[in-house]
Amino acid sequence: MATDSRPSTMTKWKLPPTINRSVGILGAGVLGRRIGACWASAGYKVNIRDPDAQQTHGALQYIKNELWRYKPTISPDKISVHGFQDLRPAVEDSWLVIECVPEKLDLKINTFADLEKAVRPDTILGTNSSSYKSRELAAKVKPETAKRMLNMHYYIPPDIRVVELMTSGSTHEDIFSFLEDHLKRSGMLPVIAHRESTGFILNRVWAAIKRECLMVLSEGVASPEELDMVWNEMFVKNGVPPCELMDSVGLDTVSLIEQHYIEERNLHDPGVIAFLQKYIEEGRLGAKCSKGGLYPPGYTTKTAGQQQTPYDNLHAPSLYILDLGLNNEPEEEYQRGRILVGSADGQTPLRTIVDHQSMPDGIALCPSEGKIIWGNMGVPNKNDGSIMSCNLDGSDIKVIVASGTVHTPKQIAVDDGCSKMYFSDREGMRVFRCNIDGSGLEVLIRNGDWATGFEDQTQWCVGLGLAPLEGKFYWTQKGPSKGSKGRIFRANIRTPHGHDASTRTDIECLFQGLPEPIDIEIDEEGKFMYWTDRGELPRGNSLNRAEMGPDGQYANHKILARNLHEAIGITLDRKNRHIYATDLGGAVYRFNMDGTGRKKFYEDEGSFAGIALCDK
């Protein structure tokens, strides 16, 4: 090891104590949350800061739901992980802060300048940058602070546990052995670069490979599939091919890193940046967006039974599933409902976060508020339904629409941009709208008065879907069981002037004579409507789709999948372009948006109704 690469300049500075102090993580994205999970799994207190509250909520839920993958050394119930939007409270007690903000030099430099003012004088400051030396990020900090800075480059834990440590050029020598010890305690494999190197060890080699791969693509020598096939056959066999890897990282990030390499090394750009820019301008950034990247959207979202690499499922959602509790003892069945959390690949064991609910059916998430909202149907034939909410981890359970205000709530949809939620009321024969906290309750559709009788099941409102850009909401009226009298309707989000829920004149019947339509979802981007149907075969127990034409009307009704076991819940993964559905038989299904690629998991673990997704 070169003796001049990490000079020992220890004077008054001492290594920080770690007891009762936190590891601060700046950035709650794909890597930030995984780095946080590594430390939390070993019993370290973790504070995650991201200015985006939705990202922070997602990171906290990822750590709680996926901690088992990190082989924790403490009970999952005893981990200490907290989320913040403001910098100072997140890092003021930290002994170590790891920066994971986007790969932009000015942003990183300013982040460390802000950190210098917010942390204690002994706090170690690490950057997870994959291309910038920590020396470059110290441009606005004092020389004394730069001595506490270093590179701490993670890959994709928990599958790849290597962490590369590298000096800022003046990093205190003792920091390396100190971090090496703590990283090993957190289950990582630290390796120390012998001298400063852009790209550290592996990424420096990967940069050359990646650049040549991009040249092969930009020159039209081969397609991404052909290149990855040849690479796989020759070098990897069950590993991570280069094009899949770039999609998982994000083509915008790949472009920023490539630009940095080109500028620093005075390299000739053979057209790689322009090639990537075309994808970026089209919004095709890779696995993290709904347009895909080098590969189609959802390509790297894998389920159990499919070959997976450490870079798959980085952008796959967590699943929130309602179990009605029908497989319990008869005298308990109306109070045994649960909210379960699982993963998109079906490998994470289902975890109960809320239980003892009265026949829960519809569920939706409000990302901006970090809330789960669900409906309890209550006891059949009694007017005791209610709408509930809690935090994403199942805490702070509240009644937000009181029992008896709604009869039998079913599917729920949230318009996060307007802080509104919509829900259907089956035997109540109504559609409601209210604020996220349950206030401002109003009836949008009223097909009858349940108090005078609700025997006519053709008037029962069941599924509920939103199309905010179109200015419409959709709902199903299922009709009698197996009766083939089901219908799908839509109306304007704004009730026509001078009309009310009983007299409005803007209601359209889109489909009729359906076996028994249940839950419904609208894909405004693709201009499709999807719904489940639990009616009689051959058209029932199915997943269905209809297409919106240029005139705004729906046609081309197709059955995408059959042989579900009492199909109920449906939700769309708009980013990865997948459909998730549930049935009362206790299974979760995943399909491509055209119904192909059917996968089935979480079988026989309950009696499933509604389902919702939380982006990682």
Side-chain angles (χ1 to χ4, degrees), residues 163-477:
V163 182
E164 293 171 314
L165 304 180
M166 189 174 76
T167 181
S168 68
S170 60
T171 308
H172 288 296
E173 182 77 21
D174 289 356
I175 286 177
F176 292 92
S177 58
F178 178 70
L179 286 180
E180 195 172 24
D181 178 54
H182 284 283
L183 284 165
K184 288 178 179 178
R185 292 185 200 177
S186 68
M188 305 309 291
L189 300 173
V191 57
I192 303 171
H194 291 198
R195 62 181 66 250
E196 288 182 273
S197 167
T198 298
F200 319 105
I201 303 168
L202 180 59
N203 269 2
R204 183 166 176 177
V205 176
W206 163 239
I209 297 170
K210 178 176 56 180
R211 192 172 301 111
E212 288 300 318
C213 288
L214 289 167
M215 288 177 63
V216 166
L217 297 178
S218 66
E219 293 170 8
V221 176
S223 68
E225 293 85 353
E226 292 165 337
L227 174 55
D228 281 352
M229 178 188 69
V230 172
W231 180 278
N232 228 357
E233 185 67 25
M234 289 294 294
F235 303 113
V236 182
K237 271 299 188 190
N238 304 321
V240 188
C243 296
E244 283 190 35
L245 178 55
M246 284 187 278
D247 261 6
S248 294
V249 170
L251 299 186
D252 52 343
T253 301
V254 169
S255 178
L256 290 171
I257 294 170
E258 285 303 302
Q259 291 176 54
H260 176 58
Y261 281 129
I262 289 169
E263 290 169 5
E264 181 180 279
R265 296 176 180 170
N266 295 317
L267 299 174
H268 168 67
D269 176 16
V272 164
I273 300 303
F275 173 75
L276 288 169
Q277 191 61 30
K278 287 195 303 181
Y279 283 86
I280 294 168
E281 290 175 354
E282 293 170 1
R284 297 165 62 191
L285 306 181
K288 63 184 176 183
C289 72
S290 63
K291 294 183 178 180
L294 298 174
Y295 281 98
Y299 187 86
T300 61
T301 304
K302 306 292 178 63
T303 60
Q306 292 182 287
Q307 180 179 313
Q308 297 187 24
T309 73
Y311 288 86
D312 289 325
N313 292 325
L314 295 185
H315 303 282
S318 297
L319 309 184
Y320 285 73
I321 306 163
L322 291 180
D323 172 24
L324 289 169
L326 298 181
N327 56 349
N328 295 293
E329 295 297 324
E331 63 271 17
E332 299 178 338
E333 62 185 0
Y334 298 131
Q335 296 296 329
R336 300 293 290 182
R338 302 180 294 166
I339 300 179
L340 308 172
V341 181
S343 61
D345 61 5
Q347 293 193 33
T348 299
L350 286 176
R351 181 169 63 91
T352 299
I353 60 170
V354 176
D355 57 9
H356 299 294
Q357 298 302 295
S358 183
M359 300 286 285
D361 193 286
I363 185 171
L365 303 187
C366 181
S368 64
E369 300 288 336
K371 294 291 185 182
I372 308 170
I373 300 169
W374 74 97
N376 285 333
M377 294 189 292
V379 179
N381 301 322
K382 290 186 178 181
N383 182 36
D384 63 347
S386 60
I387 303 294
M388 314 288 292
S389 78
C390 70
N391 296 331
L392 292 175
D393 61 0
S395 63
D396 193 27
I397 297 174
K398 294 179 180 177
V399 178
I400 57 175
V401 177
S403 176
T405 307
V406 56
H407 193 291
T408 317
K410 295 289 289 182
Q411 192 175 6
I412 300 172
V414 167
D415 185 348
D416 204 13
C418 296
S419 297
K420 295 285 187 180
M421 67 172 170
Y422 297 66
F423 58 92
S424 55
D425 182 1
R426 190 176 65 191
E427 279 88 335
M429 298 175 286
R430 295 168 291 189
V431 173
F432 288 92
R433 175 173 62 203
C434 64
N435 298 322
I436 297 299
D437 63 2
S439 63
L441 186 67
E442 55 183 320
V443 181
L444 301 180
I445 300 293
R446 188 190 304 274
N447 290 338
D449 182 357
W450 68 267
T452 62
F454 46 78
E455 289 76 17
D456 184 2
Q457 296 184 26
T458 63
Q459 301 302 317
W460 288 9
C461 302
V462 180
L464 194 290
L466 280 183
L469 299 179
E470 185 191 5
K472 304 279 188 180
F473 64 94
Y474 293 68
W475 72 98
T476 66
Q477 294 179 195

Side-chain angles (χ1 to χ4, degrees), residues 74-80:
I74 64 168
S75 169
D77 296 332
K78 294 182 179 180
I79 65 170
S80 177

Side-chain angles (χ1 to χ4, degrees), residues 484-488 511-517 531 533 539 557:
S484 293
K485 294 184 179 181
R487 293 175 290 174
I488 298 178
F511 291 98
Q512 56 186 333
L514 300 174
E516 198 177 347
W531 70 93
D533 194 305
R539 294 192 300 145
H557 172 203

